[in-house]
Amino acid sequence: MSPAKTTPPSGGFIPRDRDWQPDALTPGYKTSIKRSPQAALLSFPSSLSEETSPVFGHGLLGALDSDLIHNYAQPGESAIGPRIIVYGRVLDEMGRGVPGALLEFWQANAGGRYRHKKESYLAALDPNFGGCGRTITAEDGSYEFRTIQPGPYPWPNGMNDWRPAHIHFSVFGHGFAQRLITQMYFEGDPHIPLCPIVGILKSQDAVDALTAVLDMHRTVPMDSRAYKFDIVLRGRRQTYFENREDGM
Amino acid sequence: MVQKLDYLRESPSQTAGPYVHIGCTPNFTGIDLYGGDLGAVMKTGPVQGKEIVIRGIVFDGTGTPLRDAMIEIWQPDAAGLFASANETRGAADPNFTGWGRSPSDMTTGEFSFDTVKPGAVPWPDGRMQAPHITAWIVARGINIGLHTRIYFEDEAEANAADPILSRIEHQNRIQTLLAKREGDGVYRFDIHLQGPTETIFFDI
């Protein structure tokens, strides 16, 4: 972990909007019933423990970390499925790009099957697809990676529940309070409004915020389609602090 | 119409799902990438202070261990300094990352961290907080990551003066935030998502 080139802004985090974020208990998603805290969360202002976080330098990354089509494939081979580029920016609530953010992503293969020993779906594994990758955002908060479009798959909840095609994202910004895991969906997927996990979201705006849009301008002709997916992390107050002479 | 504030909204959280380990600890699942899992090693050389191990299990509301959870911790070094770009008070121990990530074991559900006892860090008003570690828990069925803190039962005096612990209304729940000493340098910190011993979770 090498030091970042830029010093991220300091200051207390803006409280998380719990009216916007999903609740812990969402009975339509059955597993949440016994895994949701029932007492009220204890609220307090962020302190150094939450306003700091580890720094992940670009030196961490291997050449194929952001290429899921090839990072698990045998030499000369590639993963099966529709080739796509996922790109976007990591921003904070003020709209500033977040540089140096670590993004880790994981997904099912084109048939909807994960590479995991507890996965029981009968769809075939792809020997050339591992299903995970990572990258670090550039100075303007931008990122991109290459993968195959995952397939929808059935899961045990109701008797006939299917997940829309999705990619999981883990996001590490500049404060532990920003830590976030979410999922990206694909524009136009008819499974989106049917899914109980999407259904925990409180508004159509929230669903839209997690739905990537097809971008024909970024599509590489005869190679890969492109989907844009921006991610927003919690912002920090821009108060001038007496212990920071350079302000913001 | 008044002016608009034009703030963006934080991306909504979604569950980490049953396969968070594929993405965050792929080597643990047998996907041999990256030359090892991030956060598996917190000490990169000889460290200052008392070396400790913290072990625990995350339990659901029926008392069943979660075997698909991921726990992350973040803490200062033994002198109370963070290995962070936002640390302005001094240079942290160069051999200590302060950040750990542990999958819960696929059979027992146990997580574990090989770390150091953290030093004290000030509260925004300058008072010292009791030594603690920040923890974050995600898993299938958890819609938004849960923040909590690991304090130490053998820091009674500091705990009594801690700005957060001292203002908790239900003092009988403070036990849920204390790592219990199991031996020299070995602590247990179980996490209960529900029930009479539900861990205190934070909205920070």
Side-chain angles (χ1 to χ4, degrees):
Chain A
M1 298 183 200
S2 57
K5 274 188 282 187
T6 54
T7 303
S10 289
F13 277 95
I14 296 164
R16 186 163 252 158
D17 185 350
R18 298 279 171 180
D19 292 329
W20 164 256
Q21 290 288 352
D23 294 330
L25 176 60
T26 49
Y29 175 26
K30 292 179 181 177
T31 313
S32 75
I33 295 175
K34 290 295 180 188
R35 292 186 171 197
S36 45
Q38 295 170 327
L41 299 178
L42 182 69
S43 298
F44 60 87
S46 61
S47 70
L48 272 174
S49 306
E50 298 83 27
E51 290 161 14
T52 54
S53 81
V55 176
F56 301 99
H58 290 265
L60 179 74
L61 301 176
L64 292 179
D65 284 6
S66 59
D67 181 356
L68 282 69
I69 294 177
H70 295 106
N71 69 1
Y72 194 81
Q74 294 298 313
E77 303 283 315
S78 59
I80 293 172
R83 296 160 61 88
I84 59 170
I85 292 161
V86 177
Y87 83 95
R89 291 178 75 201
V90 178
L91 306 158
D92 68 15
E93 288 170 284
M94 281 73 173
R96 293 181 296 223
V98 180
L102 173 69
L103 299 180
E104 296 161 289
F105 15 86
W106 65 102
Q107 62 171 88
N109 70 21
R113 168 82 182 258
Y114 285 92
R115 182 172 290 282
H116 195 280
K117 72 178 192 183
K118 290 190 176 177
E119 155 76 287
S120 58
Y121 183 34
L122 50 80
L125 274 172
D126 176 350
N128 291 307
F129 187 69
C132 61
R134 62 185 183 181
T135 191
I136 293 175
T137 56
E139 285 300 302
D140 62 352
S142 64
Y143 76 92
E144 73 171 17
F145 63 94
R146 214 146 63 124
T147 186
I148 53 90
Q149 189 166 17
Y153 57 84
W155 60 295
N157 187 64
M159 272 310 294
N160 189 24
D161 282 328
W162 292 71
R163 295 301 326 279
H166 63 278
I167 299 176
H168 297 265
F169 280 73
S170 165
V171 191
F172 227 120
H174 296 304
F176 209 68
Q178 289 177 311
R179 200 72 183 84
L180 181 73
I181 280 184
T182 190
Q183 301 182 27
M184 178 195 112
Y185 302 101
F186 291 86
E187 175 189 12
D189 187 335
H191 287 289
I192 291 174
L194 302 178
C195 173
I197 289 178
V198 175
I200 71 165
L201 299 169
K202 291 175 176 169
S203 65
Q204 185 60 43
D205 283 348
V207 177
D208 291 345
L210 296 184
T211 306
V213 58
L214 176 68
D215 180 358
M216 290 303 288
H217 289 193
R218 282 289 284 265
T219 285
V220 181
M222 309 306 287
D223 180 337
S224 300
R225 290 174 302 146
Y227 281 89
K228 171 180 172 277
F229 184 62
D230 286 343
I231 296 166
V232 181
L233 299 180
R234 290 171 66 184
R236 290 179 179 196
R237 289 193 299 272
Q238 299 194 53
T239 315
Y240 179 86
F241 284 95
E242 34 189 347
N243 60 348
R244 288 192 79 242
E245 292 182 356
D246 55 347
M248 293 305 295
Chain B
M1 190 107 134
V2 301
Q3 295 188 8
K4 286 188 163 53
L5 285 171
D6 285 334
Y7 291 124
L8 302 178
R9 305 191 93 150
E10 185 186 16
S11 293
S13 173
Q14 291 268 267
T15 178
Y19 306 125
V20 60
H21 301 155
I22 294 175
C24 294
T25 57
N27 289 271
F28 173 75
T29 69
I31 297 173
D32 184 17
L33 288 176
Y34 311 151
D37 288 332
L38 274 185
V41 175
M42 299 179 70
K43 294 180 277 194
T44 56
V47 290
Q48 298 153 25
K50 170 80 170 170
E51 298 189 44
I52 62 170
V53 173
I54 298 176
R55 289 197 286 248
I57 292 175
V58 184
F59 293 98
D60 73 11
T62 73
T64 304
L66 270 63
R67 300 178 181 89
D68 50 14
M70 179 178 83
I71 296 87
E72 289 185 354
I73 61 170
W74 171 240
Q75 64 166 96
D77 66 10
L81 294 170
F82 290 98
S84 169
N86 292 353
E87 176 58 85
T88 56
R89 299 167 300 148
D93 184 341
N95 292 329
F96 184 64
T97 71
W99 177 68
R101 172 184 273 175
S102 176
S104 49
D105 184 87
M106 287 191 206
T107 306
T108 64
E110 188 158 270
F111 62 84
S112 123
F113 295 100
D114 193 356
T115 183
V116 302
K117 187 102 176 269
V121 173
W123 188 241
D125 66 7
R127 283 181 291 166
M128 290 310 276
Q129 303 181 76
H132 66 272
I133 293 172
T134 299
W136 189 68
I137 301 109
V138 292
R140 177 173 64 95
I142 295 176
N143 290 329
I144 182 164
L146 299 169
H147 285 275
T148 188
R149 283 183 167 195
I150 304 171
Y151 291 85
F152 296 87
E153 68 166 358
D154 51 13
E155 296 281 350
E157 199 175 324
N159 291 343
D162 182 81
I164 290 176
L165 293 182
S166 60
R167 74 171 234 205
I168 292 176
E169 179 189 358
H170 301 113
Q171 288 286 310
N172 55 347
R173 294 189 67 208
I174 287 179
Q175 286 295 321
T176 70
L177 298 179
L178 302 182
K180 309 291 192 297
R181 199 170 169 279
E182 285 194 328
D184 184 30
V186 180
Y187 292 89
R188 172 155 291 275
F189 185 76
D190 288 335
I191 296 165
H192 297 267
L193 299 180
Q194 283 182 2
T197 57
E198 181 178 313
T199 300
I200 295 178
F201 296 105
F202 296 106
D203 177 28
I204 41 165

